[in-house]
Amino acid sequence: MARLVAVTACPTGIAHTVMAAEALRRTAALKGHAIEIETQGAEGVGTRLGDAAIENADAVILAADIGVDESRFAGKPILRTSTARAIRETGHVLDEALAHVATAPPAAPTPPPAAEGGKLLVAITACPTGIAHTFMAAEALKQAAQARGYRIKVETQGSVGAKNALTAEEIAEADAVIIGADTHVTTERFSGKRVLKTSVGDALKHADRVVSDALALPAPTGAAGYTDTVAEAKAQQKEAQSGPYKHLLTGVSFMLPFVVAGGLIIALSFVFGIEAFKDKGTLPAALMQIGGEAAFALMVPVLAGYIAYSIADRPGLAPGFIGGMLASKIGAGFLGGIVAGFLAGYVARWLRDTIRLPTNLEGLKPVLVIPLLATLAVGLMMIYVIGTPVAAIMNGLTAFLQGMTGANAVALGLLLGGMMALDMGGPVNKAAYTFAVGLLASNTFTPMAAVMAAGMTPPLGLALATMVAKNRFTVQEQEAGKAAGVLGLAFITEGAIPFAAKDPLRVIPACMAGSATAGALSMWFGCGLRAPHGGVFVLAIPNAVTPLGSYVLAIVAGTVVTTLALVVLKRPAETVSTVPASSRVPAG
């Protein structure tokens, strides 16, 4: 055991001074060393080091951002560093201080062997700023895990984004997951793992107990059902996304609740009459104000903001939202929002990675420097360079689609329908859906109707086929068909994925034929849908879909075509040959 003394000091002596002292004290204790710490700042000296402590010390640590009198430490090994480094890299600071000691301290006891069942832990630490407590908690967890013989990887999250991000492979290998956070942390990627959630303060002060509690959690149990299989397929699709496509879908996923809520509320206003909202002060007018003037007004800014967030993390949010709002005001629509989102994200990320500030001012980057500079750049580009031509493109596209009839409408319906069934929730499916959703803000409703009808028919057609052609499906598939039918009614195209993954060469063409039929008929009838999700459940709202009878006919026709194609293409279950693994289409 080594004996250390330290001085921590920042200009105010309030935040970094105290946090650096706490980090050094905590980490030294975990490493088995004794340490005494003096804090200095604008208000003077706190807990001054005594002469005896200095005399007996093996090494001195000066974690200071201001001048410190070193005369009393003459003859002692001194390590000079900053408060920020003492907070973020506490273990390294202590090790470097001890390296200055002429006589090495006694070797630390050999850590106990790893607990049964695994040797890796993963964790996330996060506080609102992600500057001090986040890194201190990460260091404390590392020391506690290592003391138990475990490897550990800690992802830190804060206002400048995530660092040391966990990979899918590391999460899969991990014995348990620790979330030490005072902000929201998404946990979908940890499905099937033992997850302990606690505060960042608890992870910092009681790291040993937190690690013990995480390892003591019972292992998740339960057999996967059909809906679990569908959820796993969707997760695999999301994991496979990368690059600009991933950023676009992130924006779309955050935008959808605004569009769905707004669309349904607008549809509710039509219950009182298609133009009842024009009477000021009435309930229909209030509903239109909520859905059309509020929810739909946020649609493009949210799309742009979260595209930027996906690219640059939190620094991209402000320029992304503001760029999206400008796109709406200029009339550039969802196309302008997409452009603004990508522009804001890449500008913010470049600024985040390029700008270097003194340690004392590092906290200003995410709250002042990056939002200011990125917003100025994106705003000026949208107003003077990008906005007008994108608005012209958007207006031309809207006019073309609204005037589309006859063969052109049928051709678009065939294309959108086939895209919805080609990969059932994958990139092609999402491209068609995003195109239709984006047009809702421009009062173009026919593509949305075609897309939802086409998205419902694959699982509905499979469900019907398992009932009318049972000899084509195993008993397990017949049971799965019931769940697929429910998912189809709710417009969850992914309900067909397990069938497609098992027999892609027959199921996918059959589903595409039915979806293309549904999409083409919907466009031929001129059906319009004001709500971008909900399946059959939105059909009960008057005027949400027009004309309703023709729209139902399109869905039924597409379902029947899929069923007939499956009956023709699939062989009786007892003679179905196994499709070679090389020809199988992975889910998504």
Side-chain angles (χ1 to χ4, degrees), residues 120-122 151 153 155 164-177 193:
L120 176 67
L121 294 172
V122 295
R151 294 178 294 119
K153 182 174 180 180
E155 175 182 312
N164 201 35
L166 301 173
T167 66
E169 292 76 15
E170 289 165 341
I171 295 171
E173 183 187 350
D175 210 34
V177 180
K193 290 290 180 181

Side-chain angles (χ1 to χ4, degrees), residues 463-539:
L464 182 59
T466 58
M467 291 188 286
V468 301
K470 294 185 177 181
N471 65 324
R472 261 66 171 177
F473 301 92
T474 64
V475 175
Q476 292 81 5
E477 289 175 329
Q478 292 172 30
E479 288 299 315
K482 299 174 184 177
V486 175
L487 295 174
L489 291 173
F491 181 37
I492 300 177
T493 314
E494 291 89 342
I497 287 177
F499 290 90
K502 186 176 182 180
D503 191 8
L505 300 181
R506 298 179 180 86
V507 172
I508 292 178
C511 291
M512 289 183 66
S515 292
T517 300
L521 287 175
S522 176
M523 292 295 292
W524 174 264
F525 294 140
C527 299
L529 174 65
R530 287 172 167 79
H533 216 293
V536 297
F537 304 103
V538 302
L539 305 185

Side-chain angles (χ1 to χ4, degrees), residues 409-434:
V410 171
L412 179 62
L414 284 169
L415 175 62
L416 292 175
M419 291 173 69
M420 289 298 292
L422 177 62
D423 52 5
M424 303 174 191
V428 178
N429 171 287
K430 287 296 188 292
Y433 182 69
T434 301

Side-chain angles (χ1 to χ4, degrees), residues 268-269 272 276-277 279-290:
L268 287 173
S269 74
F272 303 92
F277 68 90
D279 295 330
K280 302 297 182 182
T282 62
L283 179 59
L287 292 173
M288 181 60 72
Q289 186 176 4
I290 296 169

Side-chain angles (χ1 to χ4, degrees), residues 50-74:
D51 294 338
I54 297 173
E55 178 65 27
N56 295 326
D58 296 312
V60 179
I61 299 173
L62 299 181
D65 303 324
I66 58 177
V68 173
D69 180 14
E70 301 181 14
S71 59
R72 54 185 169 146
F73 304 121

